[in-house]
Amino acid sequence: MTDFQKYVQRYLDLIPSGNWLGELKKTGEQTVELYAQLSEEQSSFAYAEGKWTLKELLLHLSDTERVFQYRILAFLRGDQNELPGFDEELYAGQSFANERSLDSLVEEFQLVRKSSQILLESAQSSALQNIGTANGNQISAETIGKLIVGHNVHHLNIIKERYLVEL
């Protein structure tokens, strides 16, 4: 198994059920519910030096999902151009998430997630099997959709294990 396959499998293994489209909606709701319990002050918390704040983490989820959405769209439409990778640390460092209100970040996340749901739920099952190349690796549109879910679950777990225990 290649490093890329291991990376993908690590996230796929986190999807709670075989209904990944249902889990897409459910994990979005769980994320919003979790952030709704936080105060503005708590959302600026990072559990260690050099780690993202909860605001930065939420915007990271939105940014990553947007990148994944574009890849899904391109592959659904049969685009065979190789798509670039992205540097999540660079994006987070330029996000200015901590200067924004928690409410604005939650709203953005909800809109991005709704957009993902519409894109994926309206896709033809045959088109979801379309394969493209992103960041030097071949992957299907459906697998990227599943990665949105697994990536979200991964970060929900980190929030519960490393952030909430400190708040």
Side-chain angles (χ1 to χ4, degrees), residues 66-79:
R66 278 193 172 107
V67 170
F68 286 179
Q69 281 179 359
Y70 176 69
R71 292 174 180 177
I72 291 166
L73 175 65
F75 299 168
L76 287 174
R77 302 299 187 255
D79 191 337

Side-chain angles (χ1 to χ4, degrees), residues 13-52:
D13 289 344
L14 293 174
I15 301 173
S17 77
N19 179 7
W20 67 272
L21 280 172
E23 296 295 344
L24 180 70
K25 182 177 182 187
K26 186 176 175 184
T27 57
E29 291 168 349
Q30 290 170 337
T31 302
V32 171
E33 288 170 13
L34 188 150
Y35 274 87
Q37 298 172 26
L38 300 175
S39 68
E40 191 70 36
E41 181 181 339
Q42 289 172 320
S43 68
S44 296
F45 173 73
Y47 68 89
E49 180 82 25
K51 296 297 182 183
W52 294 338

Side-chain angles (χ1 to χ4, degrees), residues 110-150:
Q110 289 174 301
L111 292 169
V112 170
R113 180 54 56 94
K114 183 65 175 174
S115 178
S116 292
Q117 287 173 236
I118 293 168
L119 177 65
L120 289 160
E121 289 170 358
S122 66
Q124 295 291 314
S125 58
S126 60
L128 284 169
Q129 302 314 306
N130 289 354
I131 303 220
T133 304
N135 198 26
N137 298 286
Q138 290 196 323
I139 191 167
S140 72
E142 181 176 319
T143 301
I144 298 170
K146 291 176 179 178
L147 285 176
I148 292 173
V149 178

Side-chain angles (χ1 to χ4, degrees), residues 58-127:
L58 183 58
L59 192 52
H60 163 72
L61 288 173
S62 295
D63 285 351
T64 302
E65 193 157 333
R66 278 193 172 107
V67 170
F68 286 179
Q69 281 179 359
Y70 176 69
R71 292 174 180 177
I72 291 166
L73 175 65
F75 299 168
L76 287 174
R77 302 299 187 255
D79 191 337
Q80 292 300 301
N81 290 303
E82 182 166 342
L83 303 179
F86 79 105
D87 182 337
E88 63 183 33
E89 292 295 338
L90 175 68
Y91 277 47
Q94 296 295 313
S95 73
F96 304 101
N98 293 318
E99 296 176 20
R100 293 181 52 189
S101 72
L102 176 58
D103 287 344
S104 76
L105 293 167
V106 170
E107 179 182 22
E108 181 176 351
F109 174 81
Q110 289 174 301
L111 292 169
V112 170
R113 180 54 56 94
K114 183 65 175 174
S115 178
S116 292
Q117 287 173 236
I118 293 168
L119 177 65
L120 289 160
E121 289 170 358
S122 66
Q124 295 291 314
S125 58
S126 60

